[in-house]
Coordinates of all heavy atoms in Angstrom, one line a residue:
M670 N 164.1 27.3 78.6 CA 163.3 28.5 78.4 C 162.0 28.4 79.0 O 161.5 29.4 79.6 CB 163.3 28.8 76.9 CG 162.7 30.1 76.5 SD 163.6 31.4 77.1 CE 162.8 32.8 76.4
K671 N 161.2 27.4 78.7 CA 159.9 27.3 79.2 C 159.8 27.3 80.8 O 159.0 27.8 81.4 CB 159.1 26.1 78.7 CG 158.8 26.2 77.2 CD 158.1 24.9 76.7 CE 157.7 25.0 75.2 NZ 157.1 23.9 74.7
K672 N 160.8 26.5 81.3 CA 160.9 26.5 82.8 C 161.2 27.8 83.4 O 160.7 28.2 84.4 CB 162.0 25.4 83.2 CG 161.6 24.0 82.9 CD 162.7 23.1 83.4 CE 162.3 21.6 83.1 NZ 163.4 20.7 83.6
T673 N 162.0 28.6 82.7 CA 162.3 30.0 83.2 C 161.1 30.9 83.2 O 160.9 31.6 84.1 CB 163.4 30.6 82.4 OG1 164.6 29.7 82.3 CG2 163.9 31.9 82.9
I674 N 160.4 30.8 82.1 CA 159.1 31.6 82.0 C 158.1 31.1 83.0 O 157.5 31.9 83.7 CB 158.5 31.5 80.6 CG1 159.4 32.1 79.6 CG2 157.2 32.1 80.6 CD1 159.1 31.9 78.1
L675 N 157.9 29.8 83.2 CA 157.0 29.3 84.2 C 157.4 29.7 85.6 O 156.6 30.1 86.4 CB 156.9 27.8 84.1 CG 156.0 27.1 85.1 CD1 154.5 27.6 84.9 CD2 156.0 25.6 84.9
A676 N 158.7 29.6 85.9 CA 159.2 30.0 87.2 C 159.0 31.5 87.5 O 158.7 31.9 88.5 CB 160.7 29.6 87.3
S677 N 159.2 32.3 86.4 CA 159.0 33.8 86.6 C 157.5 34.1 86.8 O 157.2 34.9 87.7 CB 159.4 34.5 85.3 OG 160.8 34.3 85.0
I678 N 156.6 33.4 86.2 CA 155.2 33.6 86.4 C 154.8 33.2 87.8 O 154.1 33.9 88.5 CB 154.4 32.8 85.4 CG1 154.5 33.4 83.9 CG2 152.9 32.8 85.7 CD1 153.9 32.6 82.8
L679 N 155.3 32.1 88.3 CA 155.0 31.6 89.6 C 155.5 32.6 90.6 O 154.9 32.9 91.7 CB 155.6 30.2 89.8 CG 154.8 29.1 89.2 CD1 155.5 27.8 89.3 CD2 153.4 29.0 89.7
L680 N 156.7 33.2 90.4 CA 157.3 34.1 91.3 C 156.5 35.4 91.4 O 156.2 35.9 92.5 CB 158.7 34.5 90.8 CG 159.5 35.5 91.7 CD1 159.7 34.8 93.1 CD2 160.8 35.8 91.1
V681 N 156.0 35.9 90.3 CA 155.1 37.0 90.3 C 153.8 36.8 91.0 O 153.3 37.6 91.8 CB 154.9 37.5 88.8 CG1 153.7 38.6 88.7 CG2 156.1 38.1 88.2
V682 N 153.2 35.6 90.7 CA 151.9 35.2 91.4 C 152.2 35.2 92.9 O 151.3 35.7 93.7 CB 151.4 33.9 90.8 CG1 150.2 33.4 91.7 CG2 150.9 34.2 89.4
C683 N 153.2 34.5 93.4 CA 153.4 34.4 94.8 C 153.7 35.7 95.5 O 153.2 36.0 96.5 CB 154.6 33.4 95.0 SG 154.2 31.7 94.7
A684 N 154.5 36.6 94.8 CA 154.9 37.9 95.3 C 153.6 38.8 95.5 O 153.4 39.5 96.4 CB 155.9 38.6 94.5
S685 N 152.7 38.6 94.4 CA 151.5 39.5 94.5 C 150.5 39.0 95.6 O 149.8 39.8 96.2 CB 150.8 39.6 93.2 OG 150.4 38.3 92.8
S686 N 150.5 37.7 95.9 CA 149.6 37.2 96.9 C 150.1 37.6 98.3 O 149.3 37.6 99.2 CB 149.5 35.7 96.8 OG 150.7 35.1 97.1
F687 N 151.3 37.9 98.5 CA 151.8 38.4 99.8 C 152.2 39.8 99.8 O 153.1 40.3 100.6 CB 153.0 37.5 100.2 CG 152.7 36.1 100.4 CD1 153.1 35.1 99.5 CD2 152.0 35.7 101.6 CE1 152.7 33.8 99.7 CE2 151.7 34.3 101.7 CZ 152.1 33.4 100.8
S688 N 151.5 40.7 99.0 CA 151.9 42.0 98.9 C 151.2 43.0 99.9 O 151.2 44.2 99.7 CB 151.6 42.5 97.4 OG 150.2 42.5 97.2
G689 N 150.7 42.4 101.0 CA 150.1 43.3 102.0 C 148.7 43.5 101.8 O 148.1 44.3 102.6
L690 N 148.0 42.9 100.9 CA 146.6 43.1 100.7 C 145.9 42.2 101.8 O 146.2 41.1 101.9 CB 146.1 42.7 99.3 CG 146.7 43.5 98.2 CD1 146.2 43.0 96.8 CD2 146.3 45.0 98.3
V691 N 144.9 42.8 102.4 CA 144.2 42.1 103.5 C 142.7 42.3 103.2 O 142.2 43.4 103.0 CB 144.5 42.6 104.9 CG1 143.8 41.9 106.0 CG2 146.0 42.5 105.1
D692 N 142.0 41.2 103.2 CA 140.5 41.2 103.1 C 139.9 41.8 104.3 O 140.4 41.8 105.4 CB 139.9 39.9 102.8 CG 140.3 39.3 101.4 OD1 140.6 40.2 100.5 OD2 140.4 38.1 101.2
L693 N 138.6 42.2 104.2 CA 137.8 42.7 105.3 C 137.6 41.5 106.2 O 137.3 40.4 105.7 CB 136.6 43.3 104.9 CG 136.7 44.7 104.1 CD1 135.4 45.1 103.5 CD2 137.2 45.7 105.0
P694 N 137.6 41.7 107.5 CA 137.4 40.6 108.4 C 135.9 40.2 108.5 O 135.0 40.9 108.2 CB 137.9 41.2 109.8 CG 137.7 42.6 109.7 CD 137.9 43.0 108.2
K695 N 135.8 38.9 108.9 CA 134.4 38.5 109.3 C 134.4 38.3 110.8 O 135.3 37.8 111.4 CB 134.2 37.1 108.7 CG 132.8 36.5 109.0 CD 132.4 35.4 108.1 CE 131.0 35.1 108.3 NZ 130.4 34.3 107.2
E696 N 133.4 38.9 111.5 CA 133.4 39.0 112.9 C 132.4 37.9 113.4 O 131.3 37.8 112.9 CB 132.9 40.4 113.3 CG 132.9 40.5 114.8 CD 134.2 40.5 115.5 OE1 135.2 41.1 115.0 OE2 134.3 39.8 116.5
R697 N 132.7 37.3 114.5 CA 131.8 36.3 115.1 C 131.6 36.9 116.6 O 132.5 37.0 117.3 CB 132.3 34.9 115.2 CG 131.5 34.0 116.0 CD 131.9 32.5 115.8 NE 131.2 32.1 114.7 CZ 131.4 30.9 114.1 NH1 132.2 30.0 114.6 NH2 130.8 30.7 113.0
V698 N 130.4 37.2 116.9 CA 130.1 37.8 118.2 C 129.3 36.8 119.0 O 128.3 36.2 118.5 CB 129.2 39.1 118.0 CG1 128.8 39.7 119.3 CG2 129.9 40.1 117.2
A699 N 129.7 36.6 120.3 CA 128.9 35.7 121.2 C 127.8 36.4 121.7 O 127.9 37.6 122.3 CB 129.9 35.2 122.3
L700 N 126.6 35.9 121.7 CA 125.4 36.5 122.2 C 124.7 35.4 123.1 O 124.9 34.2 122.9 CB 124.4 36.8 121.1 CG 124.9 38.0 120.1 CD1 124.0 38.1 119.0 CD2 125.1 39.3 120.9
P701 N 123.9 35.9 124.1 CA 123.3 34.9 124.9 C 122.2 34.1 124.2 O 121.6 34.6 123.2 CB 122.7 35.8 126.0 CG 122.4 37.1 125.4 CD 123.6 37.2 124.4
I702 N 122.0 32.9 124.7 CA 120.8 32.1 124.2 C 119.6 32.6 124.9 O 119.5 32.3 126.1 CB 121.2 30.6 124.3 CG1 122.4 30.3 123.5 CG2 120.0 29.8 123.9 CD1 122.9 28.8 123.6
V703 N 118.7 33.2 124.3 CA 117.5 33.8 124.9 C 116.3 33.3 124.2 O 116.4 32.7 123.1 CB 117.6 35.4 124.8 CG1 118.6 35.9 125.7 CG2 117.7 35.8 123.4
E704 N 115.2 33.4 124.8 CA 113.9 33.0 124.3 C 113.1 34.2 123.9 O 113.3 35.3 124.4 CB 113.1 32.2 125.3 CG 113.8 30.8 125.6 CD 112.9 30.0 126.6 OE1 111.7 30.2 126.7 OE2 113.5 29.1 127.2
G705 N 112.2 34.0 122.9 CA 111.4 35.1 122.4 C 112.0 35.7 121.1 O 113.0 35.2 120.5
S706 N 111.3 36.8 120.7 CA 111.7 37.4 119.5 C 112.8 38.5 119.7 O 112.5 39.4 120.5 CB 110.5 38.0 118.8 OG 110.8 38.6 117.6
H707 N 113.9 38.3 119.1 CA 115.0 39.3 119.2 C 115.6 39.7 117.9 O 115.6 38.9 116.9 CB 116.1 38.7 120.1 CG 115.8 38.5 121.6 ND1 115.0 37.5 122.0 CD2 116.1 39.2 122.7 CE1 114.8 37.6 123.3 NE2 115.5 38.6 123.7
L708 N 116.1 40.9 117.8 CA 116.7 41.4 116.6 C 118.2 41.7 116.9 O 118.5 42.3 117.9 CB 116.1 42.7 116.1 CG 114.6 42.5 115.7 CD1 114.0 43.9 115.4 CD2 114.4 41.6 114.5
V709 N 119.1 41.5 115.9 CA 120.5 41.9 116.0 C 120.6 43.2 115.2 O 120.1 43.4 114.0 CB 121.4 40.9 115.4 CG1 122.9 41.4 115.4 CG2 121.3 39.6 116.1
C710 N 121.1 44.3 115.8 CA 121.3 45.6 115.3 C 122.7 46.0 115.3 O 123.4 45.8 116.3 CB 120.5 46.6 116.1 SG 118.9 46.1 116.6
I711 N 123.2 46.5 114.1 CA 124.6 46.9 114.0 C 124.7 48.4 113.6 O 124.2 48.7 112.6 CB 125.4 46.0 113.0 CG1 125.3 44.5 113.4 CG2 126.8 46.4 112.9 CD1 125.8 43.6 112.5
W712 N 125.3 49.2 114.5 CA 125.5 50.6 114.3 C 126.9 50.9 113.8 O 127.9 50.4 114.3 CB 125.3 51.3 115.6 CG 125.4 52.8 115.5 CD1 126.6 53.5 115.9 CD2 124.5 53.8 115.0 NE1 126.3 54.8 115.7 CE2 125.1 55.0 115.2 CE3 123.2 53.7 114.5 CZ2 124.5 56.2 114.8 CZ3 122.6 54.8 114.1 CH2 123.2 56.1 114.3
D713 N 127.0 51.7 112.7 CA 128.3 52.1 112.1 C 128.6 53.5 112.7 O 128.0 54.5 112.4 CB 128.2 52.2 110.6 CG 129.5 52.6 109.9 OD1 130.3 53.3 110.6 OD2 129.7 52.3 108.8
D714 N 129.6 53.5 113.7 CA 129.8 54.8 114.3 C 130.4 55.9 113.4 O 130.0 57.0 113.6 CB 130.8 54.5 115.5 CG 131.0 55.7 116.5 OD1 129.8 56.1 117.0 OD2 132.0 56.1 116.8
A715 N 131.2 55.5 112.5 CA 131.8 56.6 111.5 C 130.6 57.2 110.6 O 130.6 58.3 110.4 CB 132.9 55.9 110.6
A716 N 129.8 56.3 110.2 CA 128.7 56.8 109.3 C 127.5 57.4 110.1 O 126.8 58.2 109.5 CB 128.2 55.7 108.5
G717 N 127.4 57.1 111.3 CA 126.4 57.7 112.2 C 125.0 57.1 111.7 O 124.0 57.8 111.8
D718 N 125.0 55.8 111.3 CA 123.8 55.2 110.8 C 123.9 53.7 111.0 O 125.0 53.2 111.3 CB 123.7 55.5 109.3 CG 122.3 55.3 108.8 OD1 121.3 55.0 109.6 OD2 122.0 55.4 107.6
W719 N 122.8 53.0 110.9 CA 122.8 51.6 111.0 C 123.6 51.0 109.9 O 123.4 51.3 108.7 CB 121.4 51.0 111.0 CG 120.6 51.5 112.2 CD1 119.6 52.4 112.2 CD2 120.8 51.1 113.5 NE1 119.2 52.6 113.5 CE2 119.9 51.8 114.3 CE3 121.6 50.2 114.2 CZ2 119.8 51.6 115.7 CZ3 121.6 50.0 115.6 CH2 120.7 50.7 116.3
A720 N 124.5 50.0 110.1 CA 125.3 49.4 109.1 C 124.6 48.4 108.3 O 124.9 48.1 107.2 CB 126.5 48.7 109.8
T721 N 123.6 47.7 108.9 CA 122.8 46.7 108.3 C 121.4 46.8 108.7 O 121.0 47.6 109.7 CB 123.3 45.3 108.7 OG1 123.1 45.1 110.1 CG2 124.7 45.0 108.3
D722 N 120.5 46.1 108.0 CA 119.1 46.1 108.5 C 119.1 45.2 109.7 O 120.0 44.5 110.0 CB 118.2 45.4 107.4 CG 118.0 46.3 106.1 OD1 118.1 47.5 106.2 OD2 117.8 45.7 105.0
F723 N 118.0 45.4 110.5 CA 117.9 44.6 111.7 C 117.6 43.2 111.3 O 116.8 43.0 110.4 CB 116.8 45.1 112.6 CG 117.0 46.5 113.2 CD1 116.1 47.2 113.9 CD2 118.2 47.2 112.9 CE1 116.3 48.4 114.4 CE2 118.4 48.5 113.4 CZ 117.5 49.1 114.1
V724 N 118.2 42.2 111.9 CA 118.1 40.8 111.5 C 117.6 39.9 112.7 O 117.9 40.2 113.8 CB 119.5 40.3 111.2 CG1 119.5 38.8 110.7 CG2 120.1 41.1 110.0
D725 N 116.7 39.1 112.3 CA 116.1 38.2 113.4 C 117.3 37.3 113.9 O 118.1 36.8 113.2 CB 115.0 37.2 112.8 CG 113.7 37.9 112.4 OD1 113.5 38.9 113.1 OD2 113.1 37.5 111.5
Y726 N 117.3 37.3 115.2 CA 118.3 36.5 115.9 C 117.9 35.0 116.0 O 116.8 34.7 116.3 CB 118.5 37.0 117.3 CG 119.6 36.2 118.2 CD1 120.8 35.9 117.7 CD2 119.2 35.8 119.5 CE1 121.7 35.2 118.5 CE2 120.1 35.1 120.2 CZ 121.3 34.9 119.8 OH 122.2 34.1 120.5
D727 N 118.8 34.1 115.6 CA 118.5 32.7 115.5 C 118.7 31.9 116.8 O 118.5 30.7 116.8 CB 119.2 32.0 114.4 CG 120.7 32.0 114.5 OD1 121.2 32.5 115.6 OD2 121.4 31.6 113.6
H728 N 119.1 32.5 117.9 CA 119.2 32.0 119.3 C 120.2 30.9 119.3 O 120.1 30.0 120.1 CB 117.8 31.4 119.7 CG 116.7 32.4 119.6 ND1 116.6 33.5 120.5 CD2 115.7 32.6 118.7 CE1 115.6 34.3 120.2 NE2 115.0 33.7 119.1
T729 N 121.3 31.0 118.5 CA 122.4 30.0 118.6 C 123.5 30.3 119.5 O 124.4 29.5 119.7 CB 123.0 29.8 117.2 OG1 123.5 31.0 116.7 CG2 121.9 29.3 116.2
G730 N 123.5 31.5 120.0 CA 124.6 32.0 120.9 C 125.8 32.7 120.1 O 126.7 33.2 120.7
M731 N 125.7 32.7 118.7 CA 126.7 33.3 117.9 C 126.0 34.1 116.8 O 124.9 33.7 116.3 CB 127.6 32.3 117.2 CG 128.4 31.5 118.2 SD 129.7 32.6 118.8 CE 130.4 31.5 120.0
Y732 N 126.7 35.2 116.4 CA 126.2 35.9 115.2 C 127.4 36.3 114.4 O 128.3 36.9 114.9 CB 125.4 37.2 115.7 CG 124.9 38.0 114.5 CD1 123.8 37.5 113.8 CD2 125.6 39.2 114.1 CE1 123.4 38.3 112.6 CE2 125.1 39.8 113.0 CZ 124.0 39.4 112.3 OH 123.6 40.1 111.2
D733 N 127.4 36.0 113.1 CA 128.5 36.3 112.2 C 128.1 37.4 111.3 O 127.0 37.4 110.7 CB 128.8 35.0 111.3 CG 129.3 33.9 112.1 OD1 129.9 34.1 113.2 OD2 129.2 32.7 111.7
F734 N 129.0 38.3 111.0 CA 128.7 39.3 110.0 C 130.0 39.8 109.4 O 131.1 39.7 110.0 CB 127.9 40.6 110.5 CG 128.8 41.5 111.5 CD1 129.3 42.6 111.0 CD2 128.9 41.1 112.8 CE1 130.0 43.5 111.7 CE2 129.6 42.1 113.6 CZ 130.2 43.2 113.1
N735 N 130.0 40.2 108.1 CA 131.2 40.8 107.5 C 131.4 42.2 107.8 O 130.4 43.0 107.6 CB 131.0 40.6 105.9 CG 131.0 39.2 105.5 OD1 131.8 38.3 106.0 ND2 130.2 38.8 104.6
V736 N 132.5 42.6 108.4 CA 132.8 44.0 108.7 C 132.9 44.8 107.4 O 133.7 44.4 106.6 CB 134.0 44.1 109.5 CG1 134.4 45.5 109.8 CG2 133.9 43.2 110.8
P737 N 132.1 45.8 107.2 CA 132.0 46.6 106.0 C 133.3 47.4 105.7 O 133.6 47.6 104.5 CB 130.9 47.5 106.1 CG 130.1 47.0 107.3 CD 131.0 46.2 108.2
E738 N 134.1 47.8 106.7 CA 135.2 48.6 106.5 C 136.2 48.6 107.6 O 135.8 48.4 108.7 CB 134.6 50.1 106.3 CG 135.6 51.1 105.9 CD 135.0 52.5 105.8 OE1 133.8 52.6 105.5 OE2 135.7 53.5 105.9
W739 N 137.5 48.7 107.2 CA 138.5 48.8 108.2 C 138.5 50.1 108.9 O 138.1 51.1 108.4 CB 139.9 48.6 107.6 CG 140.2 47.2 107.2 CD1 140.1 46.7 105.9 CD2 140.6 46.1 108.0 NE1 140.6 45.4 106.0 CE2 140.8 45.0 107.3 CE3 140.9 46.0 109.4 CZ2 141.3 43.8 107.8 CZ3 141.4 44.8 109.9 CH2 141.5 43.7 109.1
G740 N 139.0 50.2 110.1 CA 139.2 51.4 110.8 C 137.9 52.1 111.4 O 137.9 53.3 111.6
T741 N 136.9 51.3 111.6 CA 135.6 51.8 112.0 C 135.1 51.0 113.2 O 135.3 49.8 113.3 CB 134.6 51.7 110.9 OG1 135.1 52.5 109.8 CG2 133.2 52.3 111.3
W742 N 134.5 51.7 114.2 CA 133.9 51.0 115.3 C 132.5 50.6 114.9 O 131.7 51.4 114.3 CB 133.8 51.9 116.6 CG 135.2 52.0 117.2 CD1 136.1 53.0 117.1 CD2 135.8 51.0 118.0 NE1 137.2 52.7 117.8 CE2 137.1 51.5 118.4 CE3 135.4 49.8 118.5 CZ2 137.9 50.8 119.3 CZ3 136.2 49.1 119.3 CH2 137.5 49.6 119.7
Y743 N 132.0 49.4 115.3 CA 130.7 49.0 115.1 C 130.1 48.5 116.5 O 130.7 47.8 117.3 CB 130.6 47.7 114.1 CG 131.1 48.2 112.8 CD1 132.4 48.0 112.4 CD2 130.2 48.8 111.8 CE1 132.9 48.4 111.2 CE2 130.7 49.1 110.6 CZ 132.0 48.9 110.3 OH 132.4 49.4 109.0
W744 N 128.8 49.0 116.7 CA 128.2 48.6 117.9 C 127.1 47.5 117.5 O 126.3 47.7 116.6 CB 127.4 49.8 118.5 CG 126.6 49.5 119.7 CD1 127.1 49.5 121.0 CD2 125.2 49.3 119.8 NE1 126.0 49.2 121.8 CE2 124.9 49.1 121.1 CE3 124.2 49.2 118.8 CZ2 123.6 48.8 121.5 CZ3 122.9 49.0 119.2 CH2 122.6 48.8 120.5
I745 N 127.2 46.4 118.3 CA 126.2 45.3 118.0 C 125.3 45.2 119.2 O 125.7 45.2 120.4 CB 127.0 43.9 117.9 CG1 127.9 44.0 116.6 CG2 126.0 42.9 117.6 CD1 129.3 44.3 116.9
G746 N 124.0 45.3 118.9 CA 123.0 45.2 120.0 C 122.0 44.1 119.7 O 121.7 43.8 118.6
L747 N 121.5 43.5 120.8 CA 120.5 42.5 120.7 C 119.2 43.0 121.3 O 119.2 43.3 122.5 CB 121.0 41.2 121.5 CG 120.0 40.0 121.3 CD1 119.9 39.5 119.9 CD2 120.6 38.8 122.2
W748 N 118.2 43.3 120.5 CA 117.0 44.0 120.9 C 115.9 42.9 121.2 O 115.6 42.1 120.4 CB 116.6 44.9 119.7 CG 115.3 45.5 120.0 CD1 114.1 45.2 119.5 CD2 115.1 46.8 120.8 NE1 113.1 46.1 119.9 CE2 113.7 47.1 120.7 CE3 115.9 47.5 121.6 CZ2 113.2 48.1 121.4 CZ3 115.4 48.7 122.2 CH2 114.0 48.9 122.1
D749 N 115.4 43.0 122.4 CA 114.3 42.2 122.9 C 113.0 42.9 122.4 O 112.7 44.0 123.0 CB 114.3 42.0 124.4 CG 113.2 41.1 124.9 OD1 112.2 40.9 124.2 OD2 113.5 40.5 126.0
E750 N 112.3 42.3 121.4 CA 111.1 43.0 120.9 C 110.0 43.1 121.9 O 109.2 44.1 122.0 CB 110.6 42.3 119.6 CG 111.6 42.5 118.5 CD 111.0 42.0 117.2 OE1 111.0 40.7 117.0 OE2 110.6 42.8 116.3
A751 N 109.8 42.1 122.8 CA 108.7 42.1 123.8 C 108.9 43.1 124.9 O 108.0 43.8 125.3 CB 108.5 40.7 124.4
A752 N 110.2 43.2 125.4 CA 110.5 44.0 126.5 C 110.8 45.5 126.0 O 110.7 46.5 126.7 CB 111.7 43.5 127.3
G753 N 111.1 45.6 124.7 CA 111.4 47.0 124.1 C 112.7 47.5 124.6 O 112.8 48.7 124.9
E754 N 113.7 46.6 124.8 CA 115.0 47.1 125.3 C 116.2 46.2 124.8 O 115.9 45.1 124.3 CB 115.0 47.0 126.9 CG 114.9 45.7 127.5 CD 114.8 45.7 129.0 OE1 114.5 46.7 129.5 OE2 115.1 44.6 129.6
Y755 N 117.4 46.8 124.9 CA 118.5 45.9 124.4 C 118.9 45.0 125.6 O 119.1 45.4 126.7 CB 119.7 46.9 124.0 CG 119.5 47.6 122.8 CD1 119.0 48.9 122.7 CD2 119.7 46.9 121.6 CE1 118.8 49.5 121.5 CE2 119.5 47.5 120.4 CZ 119.0 48.8 120.3 OH 118.8 49.4 119.1
V756 N 119.2 43.8 125.3 CA 119.6 42.8 126.2 C 121.1 42.7 126.3 O 121.7 42.6 127.4 CB 119.1 41.3 125.7 CG1 119.6 40.3 126.7 CG2 117.7 41.3 125.6
V757 N 121.8 43.0 125.2 CA 123.3 43.0 125.1 C 123.7 44.0 124.2 O 123.1 44.4 123.2 CB 123.8 41.6 124.5 CG1 125.3 41.6 124.3 CG2 123.4 40.5 125.4
S758 N 124.9 44.7 124.5 CA 125.5 45.6 123.5 C 127.0 45.4 123.6 O 127.6 45.2 124.7 CB 125.1 47.0 123.8 OG 125.6 47.5 125.0
K759 N 127.7 45.4 122.4 CA 129.2 45.3 122.4 C 129.7 46.2 121.3 O 129.0 46.4 120.3 CB 129.5 43.8 122.0 CG 129.1 42.8 123.0 CD 129.4 41.4 122.5 CE 128.9 40.4 123.6 NZ 129.5 39.1 123.4
W760 N 130.9 46.7 121.5 CA 131.6 47.4 120.4 C 132.7 46.6 119.8 O 133.3 45.8 120.5 CB 132.3 48.7 121.1 CG 131.3 49.8 121.3 CD1 130.7 50.1 122.5 CD2 130.8 50.8 120.4 NE1 129.9 51.2 122.4 CE2 130.0 51.6 121.1 CE3 131.1 51.0 119.0 CZ2 129.3 52.7 120.5 CZ3 130.4 52.1 118.4 CH2 129.5 52.9 119.1
V761 N 132.8 46.6 118.5 CA 133.8 45.8 117.8 C 134.4 46.8 116.8 O 133.8 47.6 116.1 CB 133.1 44.7 117.0 CG1 134.1 44.0 116.1 CG2 132.5 43.8 117.9
G762 N 135.8 46.8 116.8 CA 136.5 47.6 115.8 C 137.7 46.8 115.3 O 138.3 46.0 116.0
H763 N 138.0 47.0 114.0 CA 139.1 46.4 113.3 C 140.0 47.5 112.7 O 139.5 48.2 111.9 CB 138.6 45.4 112.3 CG 137.9 44.2 112.8 ND1 138.6 43.1 113.3 CD2 136.6 44.0 113.0 CE1 137.7 42.2 113.7 NE2 136.5 42.7 113.6
F764 N 141.3 47.4 113.0 CA 142.2 48.5 112.6 C 143.5 47.8 112.0 O 144.0 46.9 112.7 CB 142.5 49.5 113.8 CG 141.3 50.1 114.3 CD1 140.5 49.6 115.3 CD2 140.8 51.3 113.7 CE1 139.4 50.1 115.7 CE2 139.7 51.9 114.2 CZ 138.9 51.4 115.2
L765 N 144.0 48.3 110.9 CA 145.2 47.9 110.3 C 146.4 48.6 111.0 O 146.3 49.9 111.2 CB 145.2 48.1 108.8 CG 144.3 47.2 108.0 CD1 144.2 47.7 106.6 CD2 144.6 45.8 108.1
T766 N 147.4 47.9 111.4 CA 148.6 48.5 111.8 C 149.8 48.1 111.0 O 149.7 47.1 110.3 CB 148.9 48.1 113.3 OG1 149.0 46.7 113.4 CG2 147.8 48.5 114.2
E767 N 150.8 48.9 111.0 CA 152.0 48.6 110.2 C 153.0 47.8 111.0 O 153.1 47.8 112.1 CB 152.6 49.9 109.7 CG 151.6 50.6 108.8 CD 152.3 51.7 108.0 OE1 153.5 51.7 107.8 OE2 151.6 52.6 107.6

């Protein structure tokens, strides 16, 4: 009896873990290794506003961020504070398909 109950509980736990739930993705964007003061800017196209505050770029060549929502395009820009212009810009989108 105890084995049957335990097996049933394990079956429910396993079934719920594979029920189609997907977490939000974490995005890793390649950026150039540059010198000077730069900011990473992320624009949320659906909201028509900045998705995050501007963040100091650590000059590692990579930038990681958690995508706030599925089905939305995000524009990532690397702003050169001295030159007053964007050095790099990229669009990233994550969409669920069936």
